[in-house]
Amino acid sequence: MTATTSALSGPDAAIIAASSGPGTVDRIAHITLSSVILPLATPISDAKVLTGRQKPMTEVAFLVVEIQTENGHEGVGFSYSKRAGGAGQFAHAKEIGDVLIGEDPSDIAKLWVKLSWAGASVGRSGLATQAIAAFDVALWDLKSKRAGLPLAKLIGSHRDSVRTYNTSGGFLHTPIEQVKENAAASLDAGIGAIKLKVGQPDWRTDVARVTAVREFLDPDVPLMVDANQQWDRATAMRMGRIFEEFNLVWIEEPLDAYDAEGHAELRRSLDTPIATGEMLASVAEHLHLIEVGAQDIVQPDAPRIGGITQFLKLTTIMESKQLELAPHFAMEIHVHLAAAYSIEPWVEHFDWLDPLFNESLETRDGRMWVSDRPGLGFTLSEQARAWTVATHEFGKRA
């Protein structure tokens, strides 16, 4: 016991003693996996549906991981899949999750590697990495809760709020008058910018819709478009030149997500910034695009690339290249990670996940605000429990 500690007595001495030395080591005692199916109120269509490559989206599958330690600390994390893959993520998590029992939850990077090696034969990207992500997010949530800090503060934030834009109101299945109403409602709700889906079979329909919304909005409202990978290189170049007059914040996914050279050529040829990256499933995949100069704005998705641990590795590299950040989906996670990025970022606003949690994020003045709640700042709702279709447990409850 130090001299300072010996001068104290009673509860104060007990608190200091409990927070120093070997007694601070905790162990993971229990893990619950849940497969949660979130139904969407309206089937969702983007350009991938209109080209016949995908069916309209009717639900989102979530892999939820809840971790409890011997000392009673808890963390919750999630990953997700759209249209297909949810059952596979859950199955892979069942196969690898037991390796965490008895481990110190503070050793997050070490545990990511351990989970990766537990399923090494299926690789380090795609479904396997996305299953690991749910554990990783839960560990970061637990660590920041134990510290009594929002995740952004634990990492080290640069700001308390982040620029935000709405996507969910501008899908291709939505009639243009409704798109305009949705845009107005988003701005009234404190969201600062609007993104529209493009990639219609008839390019003139895209131009007409973007024109209608641009004329409807105040000229100072930022506007983006997203082609969801459905243009070829020639079409992307033509559409990019047509859209130059709209002064867009970015053109998103104009080409196949893995066409690094095509994106780089667009970036060199157009004034409008190029954004892409949401479909990539590992840091290594992102690095290839960064190395060839494929984009101005990188759009990583923490659940898709392996969680917060991998996201932070990627953003360290991005900062060295002075690249902008606009994470995809999962605003409940990404608002914290964006707040911790040195260059002013954007966060995508989707209200689809709202029923899963008891808490919500605040938007005002065109920005999304980091809550002062510890961890991610969210607890699972009874509705999330009701939508749970399968569970699996490891270890024993503390």
Side-chain angles (χ1 to χ4, degrees), residues 201-245:
D202 185 344
W203 63 271
R204 286 163 292 208
T205 305
D206 281 335
V207 175
R209 285 168 67 91
V210 174
T211 300
V213 174
R214 181 70 282 172
E215 292 177 349
F216 173 75
L217 297 174
D218 184 285
D220 292 332
V221 174
L223 185 66
M224 307 87 158
V225 299
D226 180 0
N228 286 108
Q229 308 178 73
Q230 296 309 294
W231 291 331
D232 58 30
R233 289 187 181 185
T235 302
M237 189 68 73
R238 285 196 298 267
M239 295 304 294
R241 288 173 176 154
I242 290 170
F243 283 144
E244 294 276 42
E245 67 175 282

Side-chain angles (χ1 to χ4, degrees), residues 291-343:
E291 287 167 355
V292 302
Q295 74 267 68
D296 302 280
I297 298 112
V298 185
Q299 298 183 297
D301 184 318
R304 280 184 175 160
I305 65 172
I308 293 166
T309 299
Q310 298 301 302
F311 192 101
L312 295 176
K313 288 183 179 181
L314 177 60
T315 53
T316 298
I317 297 166
M318 287 170 51
E319 285 178 329
S320 73
K321 304 286 187 180
Q322 290 296 294
L323 291 168
E324 294 186 46
L325 170 69
H328 169 256
F329 202 60
M331 63 185 185
E332 295 78 6
I333 299 170
H334 290 139
V335 66
H336 293 275
L337 303 181
Y341 192 63
S342 63
I343 302 168

Side-chain angles (χ1 to χ4, degrees), residues 164 185-193 362-369:
T164 186
S186 293
L187 297 175
D188 288 344
I191 296 167
E362 179 186 5
T363 55
R364 57 180 166 85
D365 303 325
R367 304 179 71 84
M368 184 179 295
W369 294 78

Side-chain angles (χ1 to χ4, degrees), residues 124-185:
R124 295 182 182 179
S125 66
L127 184 149
T129 303
Q130 292 157 17
I132 293 173
F135 294 100
D136 185 79
V137 173
L139 288 167
W140 279 99
D141 182 53
L142 188 156
K143 190 171 190 174
S144 48
K145 283 178 179 173
R146 188 169 59 185
L149 295 170
L151 175 61
K153 293 295 185 183
L154 181 75
I155 297 170
S157 65
H158 286 270
R159 58 193 65 83
D160 295 325
S161 66
V162 183
R163 294 180 297 180
T164 186
Y165 67 96
N166 177 264
T167 292
S168 55
F171 277 90
L172 296 183
H173 66 272
T174 309
I176 191 59
E177 291 305 315
Q178 185 63 55
V179 170
K180 291 193 284 187
E181 290 181 20
N182 293 345

